Amino acid sequence: MPRLRDLSASWRLGLTFCVLTLLGGYLVSGIVLVNSYENRDQRPGLTMTDIVGAYHGVRSPAPLITSLEAGHPNDLDPELPLPEDLRDALLAWLDDAENLSLSYDDLDLGDEAPAEIIATYCLDCHVRGAEGEYAAPDVSLEYWSDVEPLAVSRDIQPKDLKVVSASVHAHAPSMGIILVVLGLLAAMTRAHRAIVGGLFAISAISLFADFAGQYLTRLDPIWAWAIVAGGGIA
């Protein structure tokens, strides 16, 4: 196999800029992927929930629903129990996702307005600077901006398989060819052939895992790790 050092200076210069262009393209692709997938779970930043949601779907109740259904706050302070009718009112409010903000402090609801219930039964512990045995200032419910992320249930629908297939159809052949070209270029350097071959094999397996994971995650969310690990390594 010829060596890169045997090529003319113009060839080596051209190949250098081609590789730099590919690296820049991969960097931009990573940014596009982050922008495309983040916040699917209505939380800032890219998380595994975003990836699982995109390829498998995620149904997760709001943290407030989970807490109320577990018996909170009665499980902590039996001297100030949350009445069942008010608990039911909060759960009914949380179940009406389209009107969460509108009915949060609805005056027509009187003492059953979510804001009033939370102020009476929750703010002793869930407020900034709270002190005491059960204080949880890190989970503040003081303002609507604090309550909203804890009141929203996540129901992320997966991408249509036709969309996934179109993406794989567009990217798998091109990325496979790019990997072959980069592997051949690496083999033409002074690097040890066994090391280059090992890295090429790992990258090829990772690329396959990435694309296969996009289908397998539909069956089981554990395969989302194949997308993350495979895409990251490849």
Side-chain angles (χ1 to χ4, degrees):
M1 179 178 290
R3 298 288 187 175
L4 290 178
R5 64 174 179 269
D6 297 329
L7 299 176
S8 65
S10 59
W11 265 98
R12 295 198 299 271
L13 180 63
L15 287 173
T16 297
F17 277 93
C18 282
V19 172
L20 290 175
T21 300
L22 286 174
L23 292 176
Y26 276 119
L27 176 61
V28 173
S29 295
I31 296 173
V32 170
L33 286 174
V34 170
N35 293 337
S36 175
Y37 290 112
E38 70 173 348
N39 293 329
R40 285 176 177 260
D41 61 354
Q42 300 178 6
R43 306 288 193 275
L46 179 65
T47 66
M48 278 301 298
T49 302
D50 294 312
I51 304 299
V52 173
Y55 292 98
H56 179 78
V58 171
R59 297 180 63 87
S60 178
L64 283 179
I65 293 178
T66 302
S67 181
L68 288 168
E69 290 182 342
H72 193 76
N74 299 7
D75 56 336
L76 296 180
D77 189 0
E79 295 183 0
L80 186 61
L82 176 63
E84 286 302 315
D85 60 328
L86 296 184
R87 183 185 304 276
D88 291 341
L90 280 179
L91 289 172
W93 165 66
L94 291 166
D95 191 49
D96 186 11
E98 295 183 358
N99 296 304
L100 281 177
S101 61
L102 294 176
S103 55
Y104 176 64
D105 53 1
D106 189 345
L107 295 177
D108 293 336
L109 296 176
D111 292 339
E112 291 192 0
E116 293 297 326
I117 299 173
I118 290 173
T120 302
Y121 295 94
C122 305
L123 291 190
D124 284 345
C125 300
H126 295 286
V127 66
R128 294 170 180 81
E131 298 179 353
E133 182 180 359
Y134 303 119
D138 54 323
V139 185
S140 176
L141 301 176
E142 193 171 359
Y143 304 108
W144 168 240
S145 58
D146 300 322
V147 174
E148 184 177 16
L150 302 176
V152 176
S153 295
R154 294 174 287 177
D155 186 5
I156 308 173
Q157 296 299 316
K159 296 196 294 185
D160 190 294
L161 279 178
K162 292 181 180 179
V163 175
V164 175
S165 296
S167 176
V168 172
H169 168 73
H171 293 96
S174 59
M175 293 183 71
I177 292 173
I178 290 172
L179 182 58
V180 170
V181 171
L182 291 177
L184 290 174
L185 288 176
M188 294 170 65
T189 66
R190 297 179 181 179
H192 195 282
R193 293 292 177 85
I195 295 176
V196 172
L199 291 175
F200 177 75
I202 292 173
S203 297
I205 293 171
S206 299
L207 189 62
F208 176 83
D210 181 5
F211 289 117
Q214 295 181 35
Y215 289 99
L216 294 173
T217 302
R218 195 81 169 200
L219 304 176
D220 192 321
I222 192 65
W223 288 104
W225 288 104
I227 301 174
V228 175
I233 294 173

